[in-house]
Amino acid sequence: MTFVIDRGCCKDAACIPVCPVQCIRPRPEDPDFTTAEQLYIDPAVCIDCGVCMNECPVDAINSEWDLPDGLEDYLDINAGYFEANPITKSEPPKPVRRELDAAHLALNVAIVGSGPAACYAAAELARISNVKVSVFDRLPTPFGLVRSGVAPDHSKTKRVAERFNAVLGLPNVRCFFNVEVGNDVSIEELLEHHHAVLWAGGADDDRSLGIPGEDLAGCHSGREFVAWYNGHPDHANHRFQLDGERVVVIGNGNVALDVARILAQPVDMLVKTDIALHSIDALTRSNVVDVVVAARRGPEHAAYTTGELLALDRIERVALLAQADEVGGAPTDPRSNDEHRAAAVAAAAVRSPAEEDRTITLRYGLSPVSINGTDAVESVTFSRGNGELETIATSLVLRAVGYRGRAVAGLPFDEVAGTFPHRGGSIYDPQSGEDVAGLYCTGWIKRGANGMIGSNKVDAVETVESILTDLASGRLPDPIHDLEHLQRLLAERQPDVVDKAGWARIDKSERRLGREAGRNRTKFVSTADLLASSRL
């Protein structure tokens, strides 16, 4: 008997050190850890002890005899990884016990952001004796894209927030939500109260297509649409053109598939999730019956994961389609289980939908040339590899071509990469080549908008090591003021600071409203309602 890791894997890697026979790969130190779609369990080595299942924060590990319906392929997918990557070394990872040396018996770190990157960094820091962590977020709520980016029908993935909630609840972690760094408090002021400032603000900007028509009404980024249906306060009042029968999504990553799935699947499959209520209303009235997902390259180069594609292929009352003349690429990398992806796309190319089906149509080899319309989107024109043009009629275009980091006033920024220039997470000035004293980064603003939730854990470990190294070498001066002084300062400037108790009240209220409606959670989607709930 063996255990199996399924498509919900977040690559947190918490399961790896607890495995007594070290049958889970790839490990963070392995060369393919950053590129692998997920973690895998070797069925030939697994001893069926189940400790990995207990450690997984997103319930993505199951016994082979208890695999949920629709996940049967994952027994073969796990085994297939080890056919190409047999285990040759099984020593358990050495536990790391960090302590501050006698010369530096205290460390205060401010973390800007409260998403996965921030929470993993806080967890690494807070487990060290005599370390205090202050977590800041512009919104009244924590967890970043776990709350506002993960699709509402991926409830198991959202469970990682329970682990992050425990981190924020630690006695040496303070929370300052509804506080905007750069407005309510400056970076310089944070450094006056902390040894170091760790920026974990993510990537809240969008990559553009660079084609005419992107500014037309009815053309939006996938990020905006995702934030809208997830109830992000900045996007709750947005309106999207759902009165047409077709939506064109440009992109071939997981966000593109998430957007297509939310648009196409029956609304009754979403009502019990934590999707924003305004989204349910809009999707109920939607006339959309076909979602076209257009990619520049062939399916063998698609950036979406196997799990997301297979999930798309199994939505009730939705037919996944493709065009046979665009599906010619053969699997190229057995380590990524490309044969499962190729089989799903090949099946889509010969499928005929039932009359009542909505459709998601995967298109490949189409490069967008222009978005057309007078006052609003009317169509999109694409170019094929042979130079031929094809125009697809639509009233809504969603660009899902990637998130991008945003520059922060006073900090170095790489405009091309959309990241902070850094060495091991330590921010430096590219003009002088010198480190910017006391400033660090982790997550998407450090490495770019790629990877899964758990990918941020490896990032955080590296950055925390840089902070500790700089502290030990005397490069981090002691703060001028204590944390109580900071708390008084913020109370004067921002009377609506939400601390961890305030967030707990919001969380409790949303869960209660959800239970009353038979849902996972009912979110407050305006800042005013969130603040009111934080005071109850």
Side-chain angles (χ1 to χ4, degrees):
M1 199 73 70
T2 183
F3 279 79
V4 179
I5 301 178
D6 65 42
R7 65 172 181 249
C9 176
C10 69
K11 287 178 69 176
D12 173 280
C15 55
I16 291 176
V18 301
C19 176
V21 293
Q22 285 300 287
C23 67
I24 305 174
R25 294 290 192 278
R27 301 164 297 183
E29 64 268 25
D30 292 335
D32 62 335
F33 180 79
T34 58
T35 57
E37 290 188 356
Q38 61 169 76
L39 304 182
Y40 306 91
I41 293 175
D42 189 343
V45 180
C46 177
I47 60 173
D48 193 27
C49 67
V51 293
C52 57
M53 183 173 67
N54 296 331
E55 194 64 28
C56 179
V58 293
D59 291 341
I61 303 179
N62 298 278
S63 172
E64 66 171 308
W65 54 264
D66 196 28
L67 275 171
D69 291 342
L71 297 180
E72 297 85 359
D73 289 343
Y74 279 85
L75 183 58
D76 290 338
I77 288 173
N78 277 248
Y81 175 84
F82 293 96
E83 291 176 8
N85 302 272
I87 291 179
T88 58
K89 187 176 182 181
S90 59
E91 293 87 351
K94 295 180 175 62
V96 177
R97 174 67 177 173
R98 297 184 180 90
E99 293 294 345
L100 303 184
D101 60 40
H104 304 90
L105 293 179
L107 174 64
N108 295 343
V109 179
I111 299 179
V112 182
S114 65
C119 289
Y120 280 122
E124 288 294 314
L125 287 161
R127 67 183 184 180
I128 307 172
S129 300
N130 297 318
V131 172
K132 294 180 180 178
V133 178
S134 306
V135 179
F136 297 82
D137 200 292
R138 179 178 64 87
L139 296 177
T141 56
F143 308 141
L145 288 182
V146 172
R147 180 177 171 95
S148 64
V150 174
D153 53 351
H154 286 2
S155 57
K156 290 205 305 181
T157 303
K158 287 176 178 282
R159 288 197 60 182
V160 73
E162 297 173 10
R163 186 158 296 190
F164 294 156
N165 227 2
V167 172
L168 298 183
L170 294 172
N172 56 338
V173 176
R174 299 189 186 199
C175 296
F176 300 93
F177 303 144
N178 201 43
V179 173
E180 185 173 4
V181 175
N183 184 23
D184 299 317
V185 63
S186 69
I187 294 174
E188 292 74 20
E189 287 173 321
L190 290 183
L191 284 172
E192 291 175 359
H193 295 83
H194 301 85
H195 295 86
V197 174
L198 171 53
W199 198 280
D204 61 351
D205 204 355
D206 306 296
R207 298 192 180 279
S208 65
L209 296 169
I211 61 175
E214 283 189 85
D215 57 347
L216 283 171
C219 180
H220 306 268
S221 70
R223 178 186 63 85
E224 293 172 310
F225 189 71
V226 168
W228 170 76
Y229 64 62
N230 272 312
H232 191 294
D234 291 351
H235 301 275
N237 293 323
H238 283 197
R239 296 291 181 268
F240 296 89
Q241 299 294 326
L242 300 177
D243 50 350
E245 293 189 352
R246 179 182 296 117
V247 175
V248 173
V249 181
I250 301 175
N252 71 346
N254 283 346
V255 172
L257 298 197
D258 277 349
V259 166
R261 191 178 65 255
I262 295 298
L263 283 165
Q265 70 179 306
V267 179
D268 58 15
M269 298 174 67
L270 294 170
V271 292
K272 293 187 180 299
T273 72
D274 67 353
I275 191 171
L277 294 179
H278 59 251
S279 302
I280 291 178
D281 291 341
L283 291 169
T284 299
R285 297 192 303 270
S286 169
N287 292 325
V288 176
V289 295
D290 180 36
V291 182
V292 175
V293 182
R296 294 176 184 268
R297 300 198 291 172
E300 69 274 19
H301 300 292
Y304 49 68
T305 59
T306 303
E308 290 301 320
L309 177 64
L310 296 181
L312 208 65
D313 197 25
R314 293 171 176 146
I315 307 173
E316 293 182 10
R317 291 171 277 166
V318 176
L320 181 65
L321 308 178
Q323 292 194 184
D325 61 339
E326 296 174 353
V327 183
T332 57
D333 184 359
R335 293 174 300 176
S336 63
N337 294 287
D338 279 353
E339 64 273 14
H340 293 272
R341 289 158 50 130
V345 175
V350 297
R351 180 177 292 122
S352 296
E355 185 175 345
E356 68 275 11
D357 283 347
R358 292 184 177 185
T359 56
I360 296 174
T361 306
L362 304 178
R363 299 293 308 276
Y364 299 99
L366 298 181
S367 296
V369 173
S370 64
I371 299 170
N372 315 308
T374 304
D375 299 316
V377 171
E378 297 174 8
S379 64
V380 188
T381 298
F382 295 92
S383 173
R384 293 175 173 272
N386 60 8
E388 293 181 357
L389 297 180
E390 178 179 349
T391 297
I392 301 176
T394 182
S395 57
L396 176 60
V397 174
L398 297 173
R399 310 181 317 270
V401 292
Y403 290 31
R404 174 183 166 83
R406 195 186 299 270
V408 175
L411 294 182
F413 187 69
D414 184 334
E415 287 288 351
V416 176
T419 59
F420 292 157
H422 71 92
R423 287 184 284 256
S426 180
I427 298 174
Y428 72 90
D429 182 349
Q431 294 185 342
S432 67
E434 297 295 323
D435 289 347
V436 183
L439 294 181
Y440 303 84
C441 59
T442 190
W444 279 3
I445 198 64
K446 173 185 176 184
R447 71 178 188 275
N450 59 73
M452 305 175 74
I453 289 173
S455 305
N456 295 289
K457 189 174 184 179
V458 177
D459 257 4
V461 170
E462 180 185 57
T463 299
V464 168
E465 289 292 348
S466 293
I467 294 173
L468 297 178
T469 298
D470 287 350
L471 179 71
S473 61
R475 290 196 288 269
L476 300 181
D478 289 334
I480 299 172
H481 305 293
D482 60 22
L483 295 177
E484 284 63 34
H485 180 272
L486 174 64
Q487 198 150 352
R488 292 193 298 272
L489 182 70
L490 287 173
E492 294 172 3
R493 295 181 182 176
Q494 171 52 289
D496 290 320
V497 173
V498 176
D499 58 12
K500 63 175 71 177
W503 156 240
R505 287 189 283 271
I506 295 172
D507 186 41
K508 183 178 180 179
S509 294
E510 290 186 339
R511 289 176 181 272
R512 175 181 55 78
L513 290 172
R515 285 195 303 272
E516 291 172 356
R519 313 178 72 221
N520 295 342
R521 172 190 296 267
T522 297
K523 294 177 181 175
F524 298 109
V525 299
S526 74
T527 297
D529 287 344
L530 286 163
L531 293 178
S533 179
S534 75
R535 304 184 193 105
L536 293 177

